[in-house]
Amino acid sequence: MINSQEDNNFGLSAERFTELSQQLANGDGEELFEHIFLVHFQSCLEFVIQKDQAPEHLAYDATMDAFLTFRMKVTQGKITYGNLRYLLTRMARQHYYKRARKESSIGLDTIQDPGVAPDIDFEPSAWDLLASGWSKLGDTCKKLLYAFYYRNQALKAIALATDRKPEALRKQKQRCLQVLKNVIN
Amino acid sequence: MTTSEKLRDPNLSEEEEDAIIGAFVRRYENERLRERWQVKLKKEHGVVRKEIITTTKPAKIRRLVLGLITVAASLLLLFIFWPSLQQQNGQELLAVYVADISLDATRSTNPDPADSLRRVQFSAFEAADYALAQSSGEILLQLPEATLEDRFHLALIQLKGGQIDAAKTSLQALIDEDTLYRAEAQFHLGLALLLEGDKTTSLDKLRQIQASDGRELYEKAQTLLRQKWE
């Protein structure tokens, strides 16, 4: 008999999900995440098409957005085990509405905010320059900025994990950002 | 204020700086994952993003293309007879000329085995499936029945499909061999070079097109030469 709790959570137990989240947060679990979650992409896409009569290409893009947001929030420790399937499909619908510029007719989820935040626009020249600057950064800078901005970790937490002082990390972050800004200048 | 301007501003607050750089880092990582997952989804799960080209019947598309050509031709006349408009940004005209690229749908009176491939190529081109059109064209050129027109069509498909380097090679060969398609190849080579941003070489190629090469081709080349290029 299928455990319905695990079924709602892509076959994962609470412990397994916690383990996966930690692996992702440590930069280890990329392939495992893909192995577990990408198999559900098609069913999520079909759900958006069925529920919202979404065109297939938009449903694909919205589902991809949802998986990306979901992954990011898992690395941030912001996803709580409970009903991951519902959360992911809801995120996909929110992203579809955003892409289709429709107003969502469903009230905001009171359990978890899918976090479909407004974007900052980058003009193509700024994007290209920043991407070029990123490629110039060393691994230490990339890891620091990734942990701070993508995993949303506080400098204090990063310092603890890397056995460094928060003040030293703050200065290093500024130096890393200056490399990026120098490319723009 | 643009993002670049904000980042150059010495008074940019740490909060705003974090917002911009944070958005960049997250989007950069997401783009990396998106590309990676698109490939994985296709290879491992058979999930492909469907393109939005509709399967409109060829006759409808031909009417649409004809309509676009009519609009483009009207615009072209406007550029020729209104000197003040001739100094518009050439990029707009380049885009019109590239959009106008079409394959000659005439068929041989004695259909040969290559004709079925030409039909596939034509249908794929009309449906904007340039990858299929290109692969059909490449197979076609391996057949003994392949013609110069087939070579020229392949070059047009490569150009339209964004395969600029391949298009340049195909077009240059048609020019070097002094074929029937030399002048048209010269014109389209000019377009390819403009798409790449090589304005100087492109305009040089376009200047070589003479009135004796054909009035329409000559006028299109001259119109491009009169445009303002940044």
Side-chain angles (χ1 to χ4, degrees), chain B residues 27-61:
Chain B
R27 187 177 141 185
Y28 191 87
E29 174 70 354
N30 282 343
E31 298 284 293
R32 178 189 75 84
L33 288 169
R34 188 185 299 271
E35 276 182 39
R36 181 187 158 93
W37 290 354
Q38 269 179 344
V39 172
K40 267 190 176 272
L41 282 165
K42 185 177 176 182
K43 277 188 182 165
E44 296 172 19
H45 305 282
V47 180
V48 177
R49 184 185 187 277
K50 296 279 191 310
E51 292 304 321
I52 58 173
I53 303 293
T54 57
T55 53
T56 318
K57 289 179 185 172
K60 261 192 183 174
I61 292 180

Side-chain angles (χ1 to χ4, degrees), chain B residues 120-172:
Chain B
V120 169
Q121 185 188 55
F122 184 79
S123 298
F125 183 89
E126 294 285 278
D129 186 349
Y130 302 120
L132 176 58
Q134 182 168 335
S135 58
S136 304
E138 284 162 359
I139 297 169
L140 185 52
L141 290 198
Q142 290 169 33
L143 299 178
E145 295 87 0
T147 63
L148 273 177
E149 185 184 50
D150 293 328
R151 286 174 58 189
F152 180 59
H153 278 176
L154 179 60
L156 294 184
I157 290 162
Q158 286 163 338
L159 182 57
K160 191 93 174 186
Q163 305 297 317
I164 307 298
D165 281 340
K168 279 165 50 186
T169 304
S170 301
L171 292 165
Q172 192 63 56

Side-chain angles (χ1 to χ4, degrees), chain B residues 8-204:
Chain B
R8 283 190 202 106
D9 181 1
N11 297 320
L12 183 71
S13 68
E14 197 171 330
E15 197 177 73
E16 263 209 281
E17 183 182 69
D18 277 342
I20 294 171
I21 302 295
F24 166 75
V25 171
R26 287 185 292 273
R27 187 177 141 185
Y28 191 87
E29 174 70 354
N30 282 343
E31 298 284 293
R32 178 189 75 84
L33 288 169
R34 188 185 299 271
E35 276 182 39
R36 181 187 158 93
W37 290 354
Q38 269 179 344
V39 172
K40 267 190 176 272
L41 282 165
K42 185 177 176 182
K43 277 188 182 165
E44 296 172 19
H45 305 282
V47 180
V48 177
R49 184 185 187 277
K50 296 279 191 310
E51 292 304 321
I52 58 173
I53 303 293
T54 57
T55 53
T56 318
K57 289 179 185 172
K60 261 192 183 174
I61 292 180
R62 275 198 287 273
R63 281 199 288 275
L64 187 62
V65 169
L66 194 61
L68 284 173
I69 289 172
T70 307
V71 169
S74 305
L75 284 172
L76 182 58
L77 285 171
L78 213 57
F79 290 141
I80 290 169
F81 292 110
W82 285 31
S84 60
L85 291 174
Q86 290 170 12
Q87 289 304 307
Q88 278 188 25
N89 190 328
Q91 292 296 335
E92 292 165 8
L93 187 60
L94 174 64
V96 168
Y97 283 160
V98 172
D100 281 353
I101 291 172
S102 61
L103 303 186
D104 183 1
T106 58
R107 291 287 172 263
S108 164
T109 50
N110 297 314
D112 54 41
D115 242 25
S116 59
L117 264 173
R118 292 189 187 103
R119 276 193 290 276
V120 169
Q121 185 188 55
F122 184 79
S123 298
F125 183 89
E126 294 285 278
D129 186 349
Y130 302 120
L132 176 58
Q134 182 168 335
S135 58
S136 304
E138 284 162 359
I139 297 169
L140 185 52
L141 290 198
Q142 290 169 33
L143 299 178
E145 295 87 0
T147 63
L148 273 177
E149 185 184 50
D150 293 328
R151 286 174 58 189
F152 180 59
H153 278 176
L154 179 60
L156 294 184
I157 290 162
Q158 286 163 338
L159 182 57
K160 191 93 174 186
Q163 305 297 317
I164 307 298
D165 281 340
K168 279 165 50 186
T169 304
S170 301
L171 292 165
Q172 192 63 56
L174 287 166
I175 296 165
D176 291 343
E177 292 165 31
D178 199 18
T179 66
L180 191 63
Y181 292 91
R182 181 194 54 77
E184 285 180 274
Q186 188 87 358
F187 175 78
H188 288 93
L189 181 58
L191 295 187
L193 288 161
L194 280 172
L195 284 171
E196 269 191 339
D198 189 352
K199 185 194 77 176
T200 309
T201 314
S202 166
L203 298 185
D204 191 48

